[in-house]
Amino acid sequence: MSFKTIFQRLMAEKLAFISFIFLAILVIIALLAPYIAPYDPFKQDLSEVMSPPSAKHWLGTDGLGSDIFSQLLNGSQTAIKAALFAILLPLFIGVPLGTLSGYFGGIVDDIFMRIIDGIIAIPAIILALGITSALGVNLWNAMMAIGIIFTPQFARLARGQTLQIRSEPYVEAAKISGAGSVWIMVRHIIPNISPPIVVQASFNLSIAILIETTLSFLGLGAQAPDVSWGNLIQQGYSMIDMNPWMMVYPGIAILLTILAGNFLGDGLRVALDPKQKSS
Amino acid sequence: MFLKFLLRRLLYVIPMLFITTLIVFSLILLIPGDPVLAMLGDSATHEKIAELRQQLGLDQPVMLQYFHWLNNAIHGDLGRSIFTGQHVDEALMQTLSVTMQLVVVGMIFSIVGGIFFAVTSIYFPNSWMDYVARFFGTLGTAIPTFLVAMILIIFFSLKLNWLPATGFTSLIDGPGTFLKGIILPGFSLSLAGIAVITRHLRSSLLETMDADYVRTAYSKGVSRYRAIFKHSLQNAMLPVVTTIGLLFGTALGATVVVENIFAIPGMGQLVVNAIEQRDFTMVQGVVLVMIVMVIVINFITDIVYALLDPRIEY
């Protein structure tokens, strides 16, 4: 399927397409956050503490007079950074490893898969805690932890898919015509195993943001000057009596982003599956 | 025959335990620079540094360190807390039962809620109940646990003042206070589980409701109620058993968040405090115990599944 057909099929999945647009806008906002944010997210203005939404401060200000809208924009940058890293690291490490393992098989593959099974058996948040504890608490290490958690998942997925198509006629034909292993993997296997990986990547976007905000909420992720939606909720919670809205905005931001990732994943699953008719 | 099956499963679990413990142990290798200095900070005395280095056996080859550590762990010795000097296993024993009570309550909520939503959604298709169930199924996995917990506290503790927002009483110390205190944390823990079970059981029920034996039951004049509860549900629950086993791990992970919000003195609170205090041996101990619990539960789930499904031959 060409990109055009995939895109057309995705457009037919309304919810997924809306989610796609939403996430695309979010990425643009995240990229531009430092430029479009009306204020420095940490700039304190003690004359305007806890002000309600106004033309000057769209979503009001927090306990130190900082602009909540600007903080929210900067938080999107953290969320997208974490999500991208959590997808790219597994994509560039997990997928090649899984493909190699599945293609060559043998004892190395057996041992490799046992290790992968072992890592996957560990609940994500527990492993993330262990890793951040060793690496030290900051946003970069939290992102690293999330990437490390997803890498074996992608490796297992890539390996399973490779096993399925390893003996397909076109792969056999390429072998007989003298193509090298690397060529076969790059040219024939990876393109054909990519649809389920793309779907998984979309779901992982949601899980990555879930873990990032959770770690930040616990104080084990983003530290100032990084802003995370998780931190914002934590701050909002401590001021719940004075301004409940402080919690609501980042809460909605997290919820919508995670839902969008899930819906996009559902839609991509349909759009990328040639056997499934678009609904 | 069954014994043979049990042994075979056990043969799968042992390497699994070996690998996961190796992973937990290897976390120490991730510590940048000298792990002892990283753990103790710059102000540590030479004696303390030497003592910890010896406790961790860092001068030995890595594999030897691992076997030494594993041997101690098997004998219940997980080292001492770097921060307080307390034995890690003691701290774990104090917190384990608290966390287990929370997880069990959360799992009960998940299972009961999941079955309730799935069955009502099938029983009243396209009704508002069906929509509520499907809504829960979608939202439950998208909303972070900490957000659920806080929303519950805001409404049920701060606004309505029905249930306490913090604190924990053990079941043995007072069943009444235990129940009052555990409802909100338990529900926060269970929402994701409810969603997963609802979705899974719903699609599983849809499949069995279409099966020949259920249609036969219908044609014999069996009521819709009987068709679901007597014929369909039992079989539809089977694949969900595995899901429930896997959810246990998720719930255990979520206790970290829930215990910190509701100020419940369990392993989750222990591990977060330990990370803040850079108490690596304590973190390692908690992570180890949690992982072993997850693997043991998955093992039990496999056995239960085999016992429940008459089609499986050992």
Side-chain angles (χ1 to χ4, degrees):
Chain A
M1 277 193 287
S2 68
F3 274 110
K4 205 178 152 200
T5 10
I6 293 170
F7 195 71
Q8 276 167 350
R9 288 175 66 118
L10 187 65
M11 263 174 78
E13 303 288 317
K14 282 204 186 61
L15 207 50
F17 192 66
I18 295 170
S19 304
F20 175 73
I21 305 268
F22 174 83
L23 290 172
I25 294 173
L26 192 70
V27 171
I28 295 170
I29 290 178
L31 281 173
L32 299 176
Y35 310 105
I36 57 174
Y39 298 91
D40 173 353
F42 289 102
K43 192 183 146 229
Q44 299 175 4
D45 182 356
L46 295 178
S47 64
E48 291 210 50
V49 172
M50 288 287 177
S51 68
S54 63
K56 198 174 161 200
H57 296 286
W58 287 4
L59 300 178
T61 58
D62 70 2
L64 295 167
S66 305
D67 184 52
I68 293 178
F69 181 63
S70 302
Q71 291 181 338
L72 212 56
L73 290 187
N74 278 275
S76 71
Q77 199 170 34
T78 305
I80 292 297
K81 246 197 264 177
L84 276 185
F85 191 75
I87 290 169
L88 293 180
L89 186 78
L91 222 49
F92 284 104
I93 296 177
V95 172
L97 281 179
T99 310
L100 280 171
S101 185
Y103 186 77
F104 289 111
I107 181 95
V108 177
D109 178 48
D110 280 343
I111 295 172
F112 184 66
M113 282 324 288
R114 289 289 87 80
I115 297 173
I116 296 281
D117 283 345
I119 304 179
I120 291 178
I122 305 172
I125 194 86
I126 297 174
L127 187 57
L129 289 174
I131 296 171
T132 40
S133 146
L135 290 173
V137 171
N138 62 47
L139 175 64
W140 175 249
N141 290 342
M143 280 163 49
M144 195 66 138
I146 301 169
I148 294 175
I149 291 166
F150 288 153
T151 301
Q153 288 183 2
F154 275 57
R156 182 153 81 175
L157 190 61
R159 176 192 175 263
Q161 295 290 320
T162 306
L163 281 184
Q164 273 180 26
I165 61 167
R166 183 170 66 170
S167 43
E168 291 276 322
Y170 58 86
V171 177
E172 296 289 341
K175 265 189 212 164
I176 293 166
S177 61
S181 301
V182 176
W183 172 260
I184 293 177
M185 275 185 264
V186 173
R187 184 73 189 79
H188 296 291
I189 294 189
I190 291 191
N192 283 299
I193 63 171
S194 50
I197 292 170
V198 171
V199 173
Q200 188 58 42
S202 179
F203 287 120
N204 279 13
L205 180 147
S206 297
I207 306 171
I209 292 178
L210 206 64
I211 300 177
E212 183 271 311
T213 50
T214 302
L215 286 177
S216 295
F217 173 80
L218 290 171
L220 306 176
Q223 313 282 324
D226 290 312
V227 190
S228 161
W229 291 336
N231 298 130
L232 294 181
I233 290 192
Q234 206 268 331
Q235 284 160 22
Y237 185 56
S238 61
M239 309 222 172
I240 188 74
D241 295 333
M242 288 177 276
N243 185 359
W245 292 102
M246 261 179 76
M247 242 187 80
V248 174
Y249 304 126
I252 290 174
I254 293 176
L255 201 60
L256 287 181
T257 312
I258 292 174
L259 277 174
N262 289 351
F263 288 145
L264 182 62
D266 285 335
L268 281 172
R269 184 156 39 202
V270 179
L272 290 171
D273 186 354
K275 289 185 212 86
Q276 213 158 36
K277 272 221 182 90
S278 209
S279 58
Chain B
M1 279 309 250
F2 182 67
L3 203 69
K4 220 170 152 187
F5 169 79
L6 211 67
L7 275 175
R8 225 179 28 233
R9 293 304 310 172
L10 212 58
L11 277 181
Y12 180 75
V13 168
I14 290 167
M16 191 76 143
L17 281 170
F18 182 75
I19 289 161
T20 44
T21 48
L22 186 61
I23 293 165
V24 177
F25 171 78
S26 315
L27 287 175
I28 201 169
L29 302 176
L30 288 177
I31 298 178
D34 183 347
V36 175
L37 284 182
M39 286 180 207
L40 293 176
D42 297 330
S43 57
T45 59
H46 282 294
E47 286 149 36
K48 268 215 116 135
I49 292 174
E51 192 192 317
L52 184 62
R53 210 178 286 277
Q54 163 123 61
Q55 185 195 325
L56 298 171
L58 289 179
D59 40 3
Q60 294 165 340
V62 176
M63 272 325 265
L64 211 64
Q65 285 179 42
Y66 167 65
F67 284 115
H68 184 69
W69 175 79
L70 187 66
N71 186 36
N72 284 344
I74 290 170
H75 291 94
D77 176 13
L78 291 165
R80 279 165 180 273
S81 152
I82 296 168
F83 195 72
T84 59
Q86 191 190 14
H87 281 286
V88 171
D89 49 302
E90 272 172 26
L92 283 169
M93 287 308 278
Q94 285 163 10
T95 50
L96 181 66
S97 89
V98 175
T99 299
M100 279 317 291
Q101 293 178 44
L102 179 59
V103 170
V104 168
V105 170
M107 287 308 290
I108 293 173
F109 283 3
S110 294
I111 296 169
V112 173
I115 293 177
F116 173 79
F117 280 122
V119 170
T120 45
S121 148
I122 294 294
Y123 200 87
F124 306 106
N126 293 319
S127 67
W128 64 271
M129 295 280 274
D130 187 15
Y131 288 117
V132 168
R134 283 197 241 172
F135 178 74
F136 247 84
T138 309
L139 188 77
T141 47
I143 185 163
T145 312
F146 61 88
L147 211 54
V148 183
M150 289 190 300
I151 293 170
L152 290 176
I153 290 181
I154 290 167
F155 282 102
F156 293 99
S157 302
L158 302 180
K159 289 255 188 289
L160 298 168
N161 212 2
W162 285 354
L163 296 161
T166 54
F168 175 82
T169 317
S170 184
L171 179 62
I172 314 159
D173 296 339
T177 16
F178 165 77
L179 271 181
K180 253 188 127 166
I182 205 84
I183 289 177
L184 294 185
F187 187 72
S188 316
L189 205 63
S190 68
L191 191 63
I194 293 177
V196 173
I197 294 177
T198 302
R199 270 207 303 227
H200 212 132
L201 182 58
R202 189 174 171 275
S203 64
S204 174
L205 267 173
L206 278 175
E207 240 168 71
T208 50
M209 289 296 281
D210 238 8
D212 289 341
Y213 60 88
V214 176
R215 272 191 293 174
T216 312
Y218 266 132
S219 62
K220 286 196 307 187
V222 162
S223 70
R224 190 169 171 73
Y225 177 86
R226 247 186 107 77
I228 291 180
F229 284 93
K230 283 276 167 201
H231 297 274
S232 196
L233 188 59
Q234 256 183 347
N235 289 306
M237 270 309 278
L238 255 182
V240 182
V241 170
T242 315
T243 314
I244 292 173
L246 290 174
L247 277 174
F248 177 85
T250 320
L252 200 59
T255 57
V256 176
V257 175
V258 172
E259 284 177 8
N260 276 285
I261 295 177
F262 290 95
I264 296 171
M267 288 199 295
Q269 205 177 43
L270 183 70
V271 73
V272 171
N273 287 342
I275 294 175
E276 278 163 2
Q277 293 159 348
R278 305 186 64 94
D279 191 347
F280 187 74
T281 41
M282 187 66 93
V283 177
Q284 212 175 21
V286 177
V287 172
L288 178 71
V289 169
M290 284 191 167
I291 291 172
V292 171
M293 277 163 72
V294 169
I295 292 176
V296 170
I297 291 285
N298 285 344
F299 172 66
I300 295 173
T301 313
D302 275 354
I303 307 287
V304 170
Y305 185 85
L307 286 175
L308 287 178
D309 192 344
R311 285 168 302 185
I312 288 188
E313 286 181 24
Y314 307 123

